[in-house]
CSV table of all heavy atoms in Angstrom, one decimal:
chain,number,residue,atom,x,y,z
Q,1,LEU,N,69.3,66.0,81.7
Q,1,LEU,CA,68.9,64.7,82.2
Q,1,LEU,C,70.0,63.7,81.8
Q,1,LEU,O,70.3,62.8,82.5
Q,1,LEU,CB,67.6,64.4,81.4
Q,1,LEU,CG,67.1,63.0,81.6
Q,1,LEU,CD1,66.8,62.7,83.1
Q,1,LEU,CD2,65.8,62.7,80.9
Q,2,SER,N,70.6,63.8,80.6
Q,2,SER,CA,71.7,62.9,80.2
Q,2,SER,C,72.9,63.0,81.2
Q,2,SER,O,73.5,62.0,81.7
Q,2,SER,CB,72.1,63.3,78.8
Q,2,SER,OG,73.2,62.5,78.4
Q,3,ALA,N,73.3,64.3,81.6
Q,3,ALA,CA,74.3,64.5,82.5
Q,3,ALA,C,74.0,63.9,83.9
Q,3,ALA,O,74.8,63.2,84.6
Q,3,ALA,CB,74.7,66.0,82.6
Q,4,ALA,N,72.7,64.1,84.3
Q,4,ALA,CA,72.3,63.5,85.5
Q,4,ALA,C,72.3,62.0,85.6
Q,4,ALA,O,72.7,61.4,86.6
Q,4,ALA,CB,70.8,64.0,85.8
Q,5,GLN,N,71.9,61.4,84.4
Q,5,GLN,CA,72.0,59.9,84.4
Q,5,GLN,C,73.4,59.3,84.5
Q,5,GLN,O,73.7,58.4,85.3
Q,5,GLN,CB,71.4,59.4,83.1
Q,5,GLN,CG,69.8,59.6,83.1
Q,5,GLN,CD,69.2,59.3,81.7
Q,5,GLN,OE1,70.0,59.3,80.7
Q,5,GLN,NE2,68.0,59.0,81.6
Q,6,ILE,N,74.3,60.2,83.9
Q,6,ILE,CA,75.7,59.7,84.0
Q,6,ILE,C,76.2,60.0,85.5
Q,6,ILE,O,76.9,59.0,86.1
Q,6,ILE,CB,76.6,60.5,83.0
Q,6,ILE,CG1,76.3,60.2,81.6
Q,6,ILE,CG2,78.2,60.3,83.2
Q,6,ILE,CD1,76.9,61.0,80.6
Q,7,TYR,N,75.9,61.1,86.1
Q,7,TYR,CA,76.3,61.3,87.5
Q,7,TYR,C,75.7,60.3,88.5
Q,7,TYR,O,76.5,59.8,89.2
Q,7,TYR,CB,75.8,62.7,87.9
Q,7,TYR,CG,76.0,63.1,89.2
Q,7,TYR,CD1,77.3,63.4,89.7
Q,7,TYR,CD2,75.1,63.0,90.2
Q,7,TYR,CE1,77.6,63.8,91.0
Q,7,TYR,CE2,75.3,63.4,91.6
Q,7,TYR,CZ,76.6,63.8,91.9
Q,7,TYR,OH,76.9,64.0,93.3
Q,8,TYR,N,74.5,60.0,88.3
Q,8,TYR,CA,73.8,59.0,89.3
Q,8,TYR,C,74.3,57.5,88.9
Q,8,TYR,O,74.2,56.7,89.7
Q,8,TYR,CB,72.4,59.1,89.3
Q,8,TYR,CG,71.9,60.3,90.2
Q,8,TYR,CD1,71.5,61.5,89.5
Q,8,TYR,CD2,71.9,60.2,91.5
Q,8,TYR,CE1,71.1,62.6,90.3
Q,8,TYR,CE2,71.6,61.3,92.3
Q,8,TYR,CZ,71.1,62.5,91.7
Q,8,TYR,OH,70.7,63.5,92.5
Q,9,GLY,N,75.0,57.4,87.8
Q,9,GLY,CA,75.4,56.1,87.5
Q,9,GLY,C,76.8,55.8,88.0
Q,9,GLY,O,77.4,54.8,87.8
Q,10,GLY,N,77.4,56.9,88.7
Q,10,GLY,CA,78.7,56.8,89.4
Q,10,GLY,C,79.8,57.3,88.4
Q,10,GLY,O,81.0,57.3,88.9
Q,11,LYS,N,79.5,57.8,87.3
Q,11,LYS,CA,80.5,58.4,86.4
Q,11,LYS,C,80.1,59.8,86.1
Q,11,LYS,O,79.3,60.1,85.3
Q,11,LYS,CB,80.6,57.5,85.1
Q,11,LYS,CG,80.9,56.1,85.2
Q,11,LYS,CD,80.9,55.3,83.9
Q,11,LYS,CE,81.1,53.9,84.1
Q,11,LYS,NZ,81.1,53.2,82.8
Q,12,LEU,N,80.8,60.7,86.8
Q,12,LEU,CA,80.6,62.1,86.6
Q,12,LEU,C,81.3,62.7,85.4
Q,12,LEU,O,82.5,63.0,85.4
Q,12,LEU,CB,81.0,62.9,87.9
Q,12,LEU,CG,80.6,64.3,87.8
Q,12,LEU,CD1,79.2,64.6,87.6
Q,12,LEU,CD2,81.1,65.0,89.1
Q,13,LYS,N,80.6,62.8,84.2
Q,13,LYS,CA,81.2,63.1,83.0
Q,13,LYS,C,80.3,64.2,82.4
Q,13,LYS,O,79.2,63.9,82.0
Q,13,LYS,CB,81.3,61.9,82.0
Q,13,LYS,CG,82.1,62.3,80.8
Q,13,LYS,CD,82.1,61.1,79.8
Q,13,LYS,CE,82.8,60.0,80.3
Q,13,LYS,NZ,82.9,58.9,79.3
Q,14,TRP,N,80.7,65.5,82.4
Q,14,TRP,CA,79.9,66.6,82.0
Q,14,TRP,C,79.7,66.5,80.5
Q,14,TRP,O,80.6,66.4,79.8
Q,14,TRP,CB,80.5,67.9,82.5
Q,14,TRP,CG,80.5,68.0,84.0
Q,14,TRP,CD1,81.6,67.6,84.8
Q,14,TRP,CD2,79.4,68.3,84.9
Q,14,TRP,NE1,81.2,67.8,86.1
Q,14,TRP,CE2,79.9,68.1,86.1
Q,14,TRP,CE3,78.0,68.6,84.6
Q,14,TRP,CZ2,79.1,68.4,87.3
Q,14,TRP,CZ3,77.3,68.8,85.7
Q,14,TRP,CH2,77.8,68.8,87.0
Q,15,GLN,N,78.5,66.8,80.1
Q,15,GLN,CA,78.1,66.9,78.7
Q,15,GLN,C,78.4,68.3,78.2
Q,15,GLN,O,78.5,69.3,79.1
Q,15,GLN,CB,76.7,66.5,78.5
Q,15,GLN,CG,76.3,65.2,79.0
Q,15,GLN,CD,76.9,64.1,78.1
Q,15,GLN,OE1,76.9,64.2,76.9
Q,15,GLN,NE2,77.3,63.0,78.7
Q,16,GLN,N,78.7,68.4,77.0
Q,16,GLN,CA,78.9,69.8,76.4
Q,16,GLN,C,77.6,70.7,76.5
Q,16,GLN,O,76.5,70.1,76.4
Q,16,GLN,CB,79.4,69.6,74.9
Q,16,GLN,CG,80.7,69.0,74.8
Q,16,GLN,CD,81.2,69.0,73.3
Q,16,GLN,OE1,80.4,69.2,72.5
Q,16,GLN,NE2,82.4,68.7,73.2
Q,17,ASN,N,77.8,71.9,76.6
Q,17,ASN,CA,76.7,72.9,76.6
Q,17,ASN,C,75.7,72.8,77.7
Q,17,ASN,O,74.5,73.1,77.7
Q,17,ASN,CB,75.9,72.9,75.2
Q,17,ASN,CG,76.7,73.0,74.0
Q,17,ASN,OD1,77.7,73.8,74.1
Q,17,ASN,ND2,76.4,72.3,73.0
Q,18,VAL,N,76.2,72.1,78.8
Q,18,VAL,CA,75.4,72.0,80.0
Q,18,VAL,C,76.0,73.0,81.1
Q,18,VAL,O,76.9,72.6,81.8
Q,18,VAL,CB,75.3,70.6,80.6
Q,18,VAL,CG1,74.5,70.6,81.8
Q,18,VAL,CG2,74.8,69.7,79.6
Q,19,SER,N,75.5,74.2,81.2
Q,19,SER,CA,76.0,75.2,82.1
Q,19,SER,C,75.3,75.1,83.4
Q,19,SER,O,74.3,75.9,83.6
Q,19,SER,CB,76.0,76.6,81.5
Q,19,SER,OG,74.8,76.8,81.1
Q,20,VAL,N,75.4,74.2,84.3
Q,20,VAL,CA,74.7,74.1,85.5
Q,20,VAL,C,75.6,73.6,86.6
Q,20,VAL,O,76.5,72.8,86.4
Q,20,VAL,CB,73.5,73.1,85.3
Q,20,VAL,CG1,74.0,71.8,85.0
Q,20,VAL,CG2,72.6,73.1,86.6
Q,21,SER,N,75.5,74.1,87.8
Q,21,SER,CA,76.4,73.7,88.9
Q,21,SER,C,76.1,72.3,89.4
Q,21,SER,O,75.0,71.8,89.1
Q,21,SER,CB,76.2,74.8,90.0
Q,21,SER,OG,74.9,74.7,90.6
Q,22,LYS,N,77.0,71.8,90.3
Q,22,LYS,CA,76.8,70.5,90.7
Q,22,LYS,C,75.5,70.4,91.7
Q,22,LYS,O,74.7,69.5,91.6
Q,22,LYS,CB,77.9,70.0,91.6
Q,22,LYS,CG,77.9,68.6,92.0
Q,22,LYS,CD,79.2,68.2,92.6
Q,22,LYS,CE,79.2,66.7,93.1
Q,22,LYS,NZ,80.4,66.3,93.8
Q,23,SER,N,75.2,71.4,92.5
Q,23,SER,CA,74.1,71.5,93.3
Q,23,SER,C,72.9,71.7,92.5
Q,23,SER,O,71.8,71.1,92.8
Q,23,SER,CB,74.3,72.6,94.4
Q,23,SER,OG,74.3,73.9,93.7
Q,24,GLY,N,73.0,72.5,91.5
Q,24,GLY,CA,71.8,72.7,90.6
Q,24,GLY,C,71.5,71.4,89.8
Q,24,GLY,O,70.3,71.1,89.6
Q,25,LEU,N,72.5,70.7,89.5
Q,25,LEU,CA,72.2,69.4,88.8
Q,25,LEU,C,71.5,68.4,89.7
Q,25,LEU,O,70.5,67.7,89.4
Q,25,LEU,CB,73.6,68.7,88.4
Q,25,LEU,CG,73.6,67.3,87.9
Q,25,LEU,CD1,72.7,67.3,86.6
Q,25,LEU,CD2,74.9,66.7,87.6
């Protein structure tokens, strides 16, 4: 959820320990 909030905020910055593809996100 934290990574998703960053992604939808326009800043794609992956969090540590999040092993999920972009489409999966």
